[in-house]
Amino acid sequence: MKNYQYMTDGLLEAYLLGVLSEAEREEARQLFATDPDVMAQLDELELAMEAHFLESAVPPPPSVGLALQERLFGSELKKWEPETTQAPPPPEPEPSRSPYIDVEVSDTYLRVHKYWRAAFIAVFVLSKIFLVFGLYQYFKANSLEQEILRLKASQQTVAPSKAP
């Protein structure tokens, strides 16, 4: 029953993907050595995973693929050196059309047409002017209202003394 649990709880997949700790890896190796059913399941799973990965693989762009092959097979990538004043090398023949689209990005910020930029600046400045004007009117109206209330209160205190 415990062997079945190892098969169903993902230990085999974790072992094949290499995400186990050293202690768990050692425990899994001992299990594989003692139980032929688990070892057969591991071999079957490894073949299925390899087939799946090969089937769903996406090839890298040609330039990346060449750089990886150079790095894998021992040839070092050339370090950048300043250009010398030699004649440029002859142009390489045009490679077959790649399924990838070359995208060139010149900068990372949004470009705005020069006339729209001026319009945005004008709207921003006008909004600040209207904000200051609105605050001025608000505080002016508030102070006038306070003044009216104060005058009404003073009028009520003065008016009863004249009445007798």
Side-chain angles (χ1 to χ4, degrees):
M1 183 65 184
K2 187 171 184 176
N3 294 342
Y4 178 74
Q5 184 181 5
Y6 280 125
M7 290 182 210
T8 58
D9 69 355
L11 175 74
L12 301 178
E13 291 88 351
Y15 178 79
L16 288 175
L17 294 173
V19 294
L20 294 177
S21 67
E22 190 60 41
E24 291 173 329
R25 204 173 311 134
E26 192 58 40
E27 179 185 343
R29 285 187 193 124
Q30 288 175 0
L31 173 68
F32 301 151
T34 59
D35 193 349
D37 291 337
V38 176
M39 190 62 179
Q41 183 71 21
L42 179 69
D43 291 338
E44 183 181 318
L45 181 64
E46 184 176 11
L47 290 175
M49 286 176 72
E50 186 176 344
H52 171 72
F53 291 146
L54 289 174
E55 181 181 295
S56 62
V58 176
S63 60
V64 174
L66 292 174
L68 286 174
Q69 286 178 354
E70 286 178 4
R71 190 174 281 180
L72 287 174
F73 297 121
S75 64
E76 292 288 323
L77 292 176
K78 295 179 182 176
K79 293 183 178 179
W80 181 82
E81 296 177 4
E83 290 187 24
T84 58
T85 56
Q86 297 176 354
E92 295 180 8
E94 194 71 28
S96 63
R97 188 157 177 92
S98 172
Y100 300 100
I101 299 172
D102 290 333
V103 177
E104 292 183 20
V105 179
S106 61
D107 46 17
T108 59
Y109 61 92
L110 181 67
R111 288 188 167 267
V112 179
H113 195 272
K114 62 181 179 180
Y115 298 123
W116 282 106
R117 186 178 301 154
F120 287 144
I121 291 172
V123 167
F124 181 78
V125 169
L126 285 174
S127 69
K128 297 304 171 190
I129 291 171
F130 285 128
L131 175 67
V132 169
F133 180 71
L135 288 173
Y136 171 75
Q137 291 296 327
Y138 171 76
F139 288 123
K140 184 178 175 182
N142 195 13
S143 68
L144 286 175
E145 192 174 312
Q146 296 273 336
E147 183 69 21
I148 290 172
L149 289 175
R150 189 182 60 77
L151 288 174
K152 281 183 181 179
S154 67
Q155 182 184 11
Q156 285 176 359
T157 58
V158 172
S161 63
K162 289 183 182 178

